[in-house]
């Protein structure tokens, strides 16, 4: 009734589901039944052992069987294999332990397992992971597909991993079962001869081989034929059963004619029930009854009359696949097993071995070799090629899917993004009115082969493992697509000494955006675009409807900037503590291009960009390689003359300087210009440093009387009443250039003018210029002199977008460093010293000191500088200072990045085996390594290779993208940058310049510290970027020789500054308690050392003269401070020898720092000027015999200090040869250089009333600090039982006076480390060891590791949790677990197993690569994204 069911109506019986009526369920039941029968046949009780040896033999056999089946599903570690003892009987484990004690008493069970693994598996050592065992190919013959101790999923994995059998050697599908006890032996024959089991096997075979449509409805079990429910597992069970029957009946040695029924196979239900008693059935009889019998008799059904026999079905499965229609065909092992049964039948049965069957068998075998599933074995090369092809297709599909996804979502953005949608729409179609379908082609570029006749369309993998986009694009007819023709401002053609490639671009095709797939070529113009202006002013670019084409798609590269302390570890040096207190900023580039607008849309749209746990707001992943990114680096389309090689010094004339006099007119006749270039001085020697300083306009305060320095950051026009006012003021420092088409007359140079200058130099030059326009310009060149060529509105939009990318990058770098320093140093310490290139922060803190103390709101900069409101002009000037300061900080970040990458490369080359050297060189883009791995030489660029992208290969090559952007950005303020970096002497200020006097009345912080109180390498790199940047902005105007000469001269000046800085730092620390040490040292030098400093070695004599002369020049009293010698303080005679020895030690110690300075500068020079060492490196390579000389000195029995000193001298000589540095002693004979050195010391020691104070510290040791230089000075500082820490802090001075909570070396034994830390910190329950600096912390959830990571690694940290024996990586407040560096003999860290743990070098090097490669944050995000349980933020 309805009430009985709660008002619900019961379903009718026809609508109810019955599992017994489901064919698929029934087939599963058949499979389970067959599996049960197989287990009954296989898993029989073994024979009783006769003695202990027999028992041990059987136990080892069963252990080996378990091991084989554990390894069949995949490689396993030793701890996973140890679980096999859990499934073995206890008596077997006892016997195995007794046997194992004879081999290893400490680990008896492990010894037996090790013996079994040694027989059937091979050990595979993996870097950073536990060792694994892989099943040998020979052991697969003992794999049982029905083994019941492993899961079905494990059997599926084993089926996929099972080796494919050879086509000419058929293997059985299952191994022969082990011998059974005599009481159970008959069961195997009974089951394999049972008529029901044989009928079930036949039905399964027939169902899977039946291809015709089933029509008979009277057949029992017709459901198996009606629906597609075939199962390869059920088919395998049938073949397995027949294989076991072949094993059971193939061995008939023990069968007797009188008692054969007692051995099985003759009971009721058996096919041999009515067999004769006198003739026992054999294998031939079993084949007749099980394989060749009439199917109608087997199935007891007339429907099967005339069907194929079991043997015919097996043959069909073996050589035709059975017509089953399985995806991928039938398993090769199953087909080989069916073929083995056919061979077995032919061997024992004459009927099966008939000639007709044998012929068909052979023909089928031959057909199987060339068929689809014949099991043909592919060669190793074919397999590798197939994998590469599949990987390329997958990558291409992923890229196309990303672009299609991006395109599909563009139209769905908010109203705020409408203008970006229009940008993308314009980039996909030629015009808005065009009917052309958007072509979302793969974002690729051309890549030609060595012959240049074919383009390869592929997704290549570079040697570094990075993706290299390659695909054919519409080929350019000519590479002559450079800047616009020479502007009327110059009025002259290219000089004869300039590059012949001026105007040709280095890259044959611009990089394409990885999102929209276009290169956004801004100047693919037609005739209507150029207009009829006769070359004077291009017409406005428009589409068919008259709408302006939107080209606001600045192309940039994905980058990631992060705080770093990798290269700033001071190793316990107190003098370097100031430098180490501030972090460096490291920038990484993946090399993939993206439009700024596409990147903005990618970051804003959650549907496009993948949000991962732990990613910050500004961070995003590169859409192609998925690397973490947070900034964009502008793309600079450089000319091919950038990779020109300098000519030899014997034949090449030299331009005096990159700068020309500002008094020269802007319009020069072409013939006069060429003649002036022809008659340049062509002496055999390059210009000396004295000539350079006396004539170069880089020293603008001396050699350019038209301008004056304001003492802070700006060159302005010198006011001279007797001098005719110039209509073209030199304030902008922007001579004529193809990039500089606008030069406005102005009296001030503020922020707007700087941005306008950046718009000019950063604007991408046109890629295609019509020949008609070029001819028009050449014809009307003289008539157009003086007519400015104004960029079109669309060009200004594009350049504004590029400037926006540049400014965002500089802001990102500055903000990253400032935030890290705030957390690292604390607010109070940071406010007392913000560091260099942060003068706006220092001034804001100084002028808001009272407000901060009173708790009031701080006045922002620059309003805090004046109690009254600032004028707009003054505000613009101060904003320009801030931009220049951020630009200098970005240059410092570029220098830090270059040094960090080079240091990592040297470390990998030094610690890795020789076999890994080629991959390391390819990864970093290094061509050669000289001077015992100290000098890294990049490959010589070849514009014809890889369509011009060859100079940007490798991690070091990608830094050239960043270097080019900084070079071009520095060009508008190149004079100011050189003055700030080199600290050239400036004349006394004009007492009647009241405006300047008013400015100087306000105390200001220096934009850049004096060079002796700063990082000399950064200042030198800044000068090099200024020189090369001006040459890039004025392509074709100056020869490569003049640029290289100016750079080499700045290297000379920087070398003098670095040596002087190191000597002063060592002397100041030695005479810290002597207030008059300067006068005493000067007196000793003048009286003793200048005359008596000669030693036997001429090289040492030259270096000593060099250092003594520098020190003498530094300490020379000025004109106002000069006093008679009788009034100068002289040291006592007892102190003269001691002070002289300390002076010589200080000079000698500066040699290693000079070598490190030139070493790091050599790499930066190669990044800025690719072919700067193209000639000098060849001579250096031929004379690179440093190692041989060192060996000979050791063989002669020289002292170790002498050997090190001689090695340093030879290495320094090699670097002097590389840079073409003249005799270092003669270099100081220049009176101008002496004047500069004296000014340096005066600026570093004197205090000015109009300047805020700053740390006046001489840095003897500064970044980059590497282990190579440390090992050179103290090679035996680390005990042999320890390894250095990741941060190279092993050489720090140990303070034994107070409690010590850090270690300085990492013990190789875990037991020794545990004992040392327990004794050091007995009250800490959860101990964390910082692997960077050795600090011991409490990891009990108090956040100590997080706080320490900010101080030690700028937010990144790598720790070792001692009690848990696991690694911990951290960035910010996010943490993740990683592998432990301490492992046992098998590469695992199981504390409960009691095996000794030791430091694994491979695992430790992985942690080293995470630290030195700045990959900690990337690894933290990856680990937290791949695990279901994450660590609570700020827990450790």
């Amino acid at each position: 009734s309805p009430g009985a069911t709660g008002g619900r109506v019961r379903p009718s019986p026809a609508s109810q589901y019955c599992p017994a009526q489901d064919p698929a369920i029934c087939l599963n039941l058949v499979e389970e039944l067959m599996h049960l029968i197989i287990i009954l046949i296989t898993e029989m009780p073994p024979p009783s052992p006769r003695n202990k040896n027999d028992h041990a033999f059987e136990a080892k056999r069963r252990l080996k069987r378990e091991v084989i089946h554990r390894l069949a599903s995949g490689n396993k570690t030793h701890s996973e294999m140890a679980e096999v003892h859990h499934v073995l009987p206890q008596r077997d484990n006892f016997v195995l332990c007794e046997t194992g004690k004879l081999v290893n008493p400490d680990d008896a069970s492990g010894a037996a397992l090790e013996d079994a693994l040694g027989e059937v598996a091979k050990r595979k050592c993996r870097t950073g992971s536990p060792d694994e065992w892989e099943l040998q190919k020979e052991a697969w013959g003992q794999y049982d597909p029905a083994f019941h101790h492993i899961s079905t999923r494990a059997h599926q994995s084993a089926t996929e991993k099972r080796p494919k059998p050879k086509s000419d050697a058929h293997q059985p599908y299952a191994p022969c079962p082990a011998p059974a006890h005599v009481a159970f032996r008959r069961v195997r024959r009974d089951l394999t001869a049972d008529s029901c089991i044989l009928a079930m096997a036949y039905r399964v075979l027939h169902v899977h081989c039946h291809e015709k449509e089933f029509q008979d409805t009277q057949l029992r079990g017709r459901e198996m034929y009606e629906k597609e429910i075939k199962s390869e597992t059920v088919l395998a069970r049938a073949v397995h059963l027949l294989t076991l029957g072949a094993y059971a009946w193939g061995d008939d040695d023990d069968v007797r004619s009188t008692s054969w029924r007692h051995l099985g196979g003759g009971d009721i239900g058996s096919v041999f029930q009515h067999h004769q008693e006198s003739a026992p059935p054999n294998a031939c009889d079993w084949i007749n009854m099980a394989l060749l019998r009439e199917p109608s008799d087997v199935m007891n059904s007339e429907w099967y009359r005339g069907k194929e026999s079991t043997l015919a079905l097996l043959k069909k499965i073996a050589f035709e696949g059975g017509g089953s229609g399985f995806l991928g065909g039938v398993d090769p092992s199953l087909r080989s097993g069916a073929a083995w049964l056919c061979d077995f039948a032919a061997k024992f049965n004459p009927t099966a071995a008939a000639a007709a069957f044998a012929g068909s068998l052979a023909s089928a075998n031959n057909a199987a070799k060339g068929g689809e599933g014949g099991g043909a074995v592919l060669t190793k090369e074919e397999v590798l090629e197939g994998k590469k092809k599949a990987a390329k297709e997958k990558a291409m599909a992923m890229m196309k899917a990303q672009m299609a996804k991006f395109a599909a979502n563009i139209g769905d953005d908010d109203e705020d993004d409408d203008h970006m949608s229009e940008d993308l729409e314009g980039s996909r179609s030629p015009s808005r009115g065009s009917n052309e379908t958007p072509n979302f082609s793969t974002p690729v570029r051309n890549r030609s082969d060595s012959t240049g006749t074919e383009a390869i369309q592929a997704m290549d993998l570079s040697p570094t493992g990075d993706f290299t986009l390659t695909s054919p694009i519409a080929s350019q007819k000519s590479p002559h697509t450079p800047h616009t023709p020479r502007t009327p401002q110059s009025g002259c053609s290219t000089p004869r000494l300039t590059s012949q490639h001026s105007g040709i671009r280095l890259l044959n095709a611009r990089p394409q955006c990885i999102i929209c797939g276009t290169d956004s070529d801004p100047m693919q113009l037609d005739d209507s675009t150029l207009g009829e202006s006769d070359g004077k002013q291009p017409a406005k670019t428009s589409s068919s409807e008259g709408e302006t084409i939107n080209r606001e798609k600045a192309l940039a590269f994905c980058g990631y900037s992060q705080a770093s302390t990798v290269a700033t570890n001071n190793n316990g040096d107190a003098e370097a503590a100031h430098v180490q207190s501030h972090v460096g900023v490291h920038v990484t580039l993946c090399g993939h291009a993206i439009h700024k607008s596409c990147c903005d849309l990618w970051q804003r749209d959650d549907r496009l960009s993948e949000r991962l746990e732990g990613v910050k707001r500004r961070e995003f992943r590169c859409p192609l390689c998925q690397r973490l990114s947070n900034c964009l680096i502008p793309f600079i389309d450089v000319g091919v003359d950038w990779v020109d090689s300098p000519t030899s010094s014997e034949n090449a004339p030299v331009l005096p300087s990159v700068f020309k006099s500002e008094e020269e007119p802007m319009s020069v006749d072409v013939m006069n210009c060429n003649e002036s270039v022809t008659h340049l001085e062509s002496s055999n020697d390059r210009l000396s440093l004295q000539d350079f300083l006396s004539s170069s306009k880089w020293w603008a305060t001396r050699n350019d009387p038209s301008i004056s320095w304001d003492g802070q950051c700006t060159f302005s026009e010198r006011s001279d009443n007797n001098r005719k006012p110039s209509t073209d003021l030199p304030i902008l420092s922007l001579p004529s250039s193809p990039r500089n088409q606008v030069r406005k007359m102005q009296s001030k140079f503020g922020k707007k003018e700087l941005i306008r200058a950046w718009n000019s130099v950063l604007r991408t030059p046109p890629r295609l210029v019509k020949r008609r326009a070029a001819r028009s310009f050449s014809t009307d060149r003289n008539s157009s002199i003086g007519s400015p060529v104004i960029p079109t509105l669309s060009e200004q939009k594009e350049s504004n977008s590029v400037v926006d990318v540049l400014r965002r990058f500089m802001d990102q770098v500055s903000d990253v460093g400032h935030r890290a320093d705030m957390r690292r140093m604390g607010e109070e310490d940071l406010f007392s010293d913000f560091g260099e290139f942060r003068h706006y922060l220092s001034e804001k803190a100084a002028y808001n000191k009272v407000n901060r103390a009173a708790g009031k709101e701080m006045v922002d900069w620059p309003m805090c500088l004046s109690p009254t409101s600032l004028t707009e002009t003054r505000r613009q000037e101060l904003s320009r200072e801030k931009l220049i300061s951020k630009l200098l900080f970005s240059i410092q970040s570029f220098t830090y990045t270059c040094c960090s990458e080079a240091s990592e490369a040297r470390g990998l080359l030094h610690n890795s085996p020789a076999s890994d050297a080629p991959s390391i060189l390819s990864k970093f883009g290094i061509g050669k390594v000289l001077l015992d791995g100290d000098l890294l030489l990049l490959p010589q660029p070849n514009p014809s290779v890889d369509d011009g992208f060859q100079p940007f290969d490798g991690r070091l090559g990608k830094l050239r993208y960043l270097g080019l952007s900084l070079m071009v950005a520095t060009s508008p303020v190149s004079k100011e940058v050189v003055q700030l970096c080199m600290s050239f002497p400036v004349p006394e200020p004009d007492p009647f310049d009241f405006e300047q006097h008013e400015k100087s009345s306000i105390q200001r912080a220096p934009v850049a510290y004096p060079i002796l109180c700063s990082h000399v390498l950064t200042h030198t790199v800044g000068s090099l970027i200024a020189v090369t940047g001006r040459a890039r902005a004025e392509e074709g105007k100056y020869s490569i020789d003049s640029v290289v000469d100016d750079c080499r001269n700045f290297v000379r000046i920087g070398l003098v500054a670095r040596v002087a800085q190191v000597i002063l730092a060592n002397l100041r620390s030695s005479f810290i308690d002597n207030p008059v040490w300067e006068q005493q040292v000067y007196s000793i030098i003048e009286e003793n050392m200048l005359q008596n400093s000669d030693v036997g070695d001429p090289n040492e004599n030259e270096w000593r003269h060099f250092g003594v002369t520098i020190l003498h020049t530094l300490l020379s009293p000025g004109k106002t401070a000069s006093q008679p010698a009788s009034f100068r303080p002289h040291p006592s005679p007892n102190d003269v020898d001691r002070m002289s020895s300390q002076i010589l030690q200080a000079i000698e110690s500066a040699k290693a720092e000079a070598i490190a300075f030139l070493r790091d500068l050599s790499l930066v020079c190669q990044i800025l000027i690719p072919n700067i060492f193209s000639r000098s490196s060849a001579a250096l390579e031929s004379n690179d015999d440093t190692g041989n000389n060192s060996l000979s000195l050791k063989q002669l029995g020289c002292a170790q200090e002498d050997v090190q000193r001689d090695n340093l001298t030879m290495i320094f000589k090699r670097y002097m040869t590389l840079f073409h540095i003249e005799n270092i002693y003669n270099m100081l004979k220049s009176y101008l250089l002496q004047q500069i050195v004296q000014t340096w010391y005066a600026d570093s020691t004197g205090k000015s009333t109009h300047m805020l104070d700053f740390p006046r510290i001489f840095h003897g040791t500064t970044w980059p600090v590497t282990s190579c230089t440390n090992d050179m000075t103290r090679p035996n500082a680390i005990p042999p039982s320890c390894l250095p820490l990741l941060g190279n802090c092993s050489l720090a001075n140990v303070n034994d006076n107070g409690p010590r909570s850090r270690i300085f070396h990492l013990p190789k034994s875990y037991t020794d480390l545990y004992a040392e830390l327990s004794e050091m910190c007995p009250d800490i329950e959860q101990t964390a060891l910082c692997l960077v600096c050795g600090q011991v912390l409490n990891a009990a959830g108090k956040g100590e590791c997080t706080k320490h990571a900010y101080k030690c690694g700028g937010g990144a940290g790598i720790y070792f949790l001692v009690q848990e024996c696991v690694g911990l990586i951290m960035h910010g407040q996010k943490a993740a677990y990683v592998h432990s560096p301490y492992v046992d003999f098998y590469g695992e860290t199981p504390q409960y197993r009691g095996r000794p743990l030791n430091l694994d070098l491979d695992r430790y090097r992985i942690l080293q690569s995470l630290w030195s490669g700045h990959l900690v944050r990337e690894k933290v995000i990856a680990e937290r994204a791949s695990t279901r349980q994450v660590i609570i933020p700020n827990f450790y």
Side-chain angles (χ1 to χ4, degrees), residues 274 469 570 602 606 609 631 643 708 847 857 893 1064 1067 1236 1249 1275 1292 1314 1387 1389:
H274 304 291
L469 304 179
N570 62 357
W602 176 269
D606 293 336
S609 58
C631 61
V643 297
S708 63
Y847 285 98
E857 185 178 358
S893 173
L1064 289 175
L1067 292 180
I1236 293 174
T1249 56
Y1314 194 95
T1389 57

Side-chain angles (χ1 to χ4, degrees), residues 780-792:
D780 300 335
R781 179 177 53 221
N782 296 330
S783 61
S784 63
I785 292 179
S787 302
V789 181
I790 307 299
T792 62

Side-chain angles (χ1 to χ4, degrees), residues 659 662 730-735 743 971-976 1030:
F659 273 119
E662 296 291 348
I731 304 172
L732 273 177
S733 300
L734 287 174
R743 184 186 176 100
S971 59
V973 289
S974 55
K975 281 188 178 181
E976 287 85 348
R1030 178 55 58 90

Side-chain angles (χ1 to χ4, degrees), residues 310-331:
T310 304
L311 186 62
L313 296 176
L314 290 173
K315 171 189 169 184
K316 191 174 183 179
I317 293 174
F319 305 114
E320 299 178 11
S324 59
F326 294 125
L327 182 61
V330 181
D331 181 20

Side-chain angles (χ1 to χ4, degrees), residues 126-357:
R126 301 189 305 164
T127 302
S129 301
D131 297 344
E132 291 184 345
W133 271 260
E134 182 182 23
L135 189 63
Q136 296 179 4
K137 189 175 182 179
E138 297 77 10
W140 277 98
Q142 304 179 43
Y143 166 69
D144 185 1
F147 188 67
H148 62 290
H149 283 175
I150 61 176
S151 62
T152 304
R153 180 174 296 181
H155 277 297
Q156 294 175 352
S157 301
T159 303
E160 298 174 358
K161 298 178 180 297
R162 191 172 185 177
K164 295 181 179 180
K166 296 182 180 180
S167 57
D168 56 348
H170 301 145
Q171 301 293 332
Y173 183 69
C176 182
H181 194 274
V182 65
F184 298 92
R185 191 180 302 174
R186 62 167 297 163
V187 178
R188 291 178 175 172
R189 288 202 169 198
D190 287 337
L191 293 177
T192 56
D194 187 82
S195 57
C196 293
I197 295 178
L198 293 177
M200 180 171 53
Y202 177 82
R203 170 65 76 91
V204 170
L205 293 176
H206 190 266
V207 165
H208 287 82
C209 295
H210 185 75
E211 298 179 355
K212 297 180 181 180
E213 184 178 357
F214 187 80
Q215 298 179 354
D216 193 347
T217 59
Q218 303 299 325
L219 179 66
R220 292 175 298 175
R222 60 185 180 276
E223 292 83 1
M224 294 186 67
Y225 292 93
E226 291 179 352
K227 297 183 179 180
E228 292 294 334
I229 57 172
K230 298 178 181 180
S231 171
E232 190 176 10
T233 304
V234 180
L235 181 62
R237 300 299 188 203
V239 175
H240 195 167
L241 267 175
L242 295 176
T243 304
L244 294 177
Y247 288 137
W249 292 94
D251 184 13
D252 53 359
D253 296 337
D254 297 336
V255 179
R256 299 178 182 178
S257 59
T258 58
S259 60
W260 66 270
R261 293 186 184 274
H262 297 286
L263 298 177
D267 289 342
I268 300 175
S270 173
V271 293
F272 299 114
Q273 179 181 357
H274 304 291
H275 196 76
Q276 300 177 6
E277 294 289 342
S278 59
N282 54 18
C284 181
D285 298 328
W286 181 84
I287 292 172
N288 285 326
M289 300 302 294
L291 303 181
L292 298 176
R293 192 180 180 189
E294 170 63 32
S296 60
D297 297 337
V298 174
M299 300 299 300
N300 194 20
S301 174
E302 289 298 324
W303 186 87
Y304 289 96
R305 179 71 63 181
K307 305 296 184 182
E308 299 97 336
S309 64
T310 304
L311 186 62
L313 296 176
L314 290 173
K315 171 189 169 184
K316 191 174 183 179
I317 293 174
F319 305 114
E320 299 178 11
S324 59
F326 294 125
L327 182 61
V330 181
D331 181 20
S333 301
L334 181 59
R335 298 180 62 176
S336 179
W340 182 86
L341 284 173
C342 296
D343 295 341
F344 174 81
K347 177 181 178 181
F348 290 96
N349 192 288
T351 306
F357 179 75

Side-chain angles (χ1 to χ4, degrees), residues 68-85:
I68 290 175
H69 288 85
R70 293 270 178 172
L71 295 177
S73 59
N75 299 344
K76 299 291 189 298
T77 63
H78 191 273
S79 59
E80 293 173 336
M81 296 304 303
E83 298 176 359
V84 298
H85 292 285

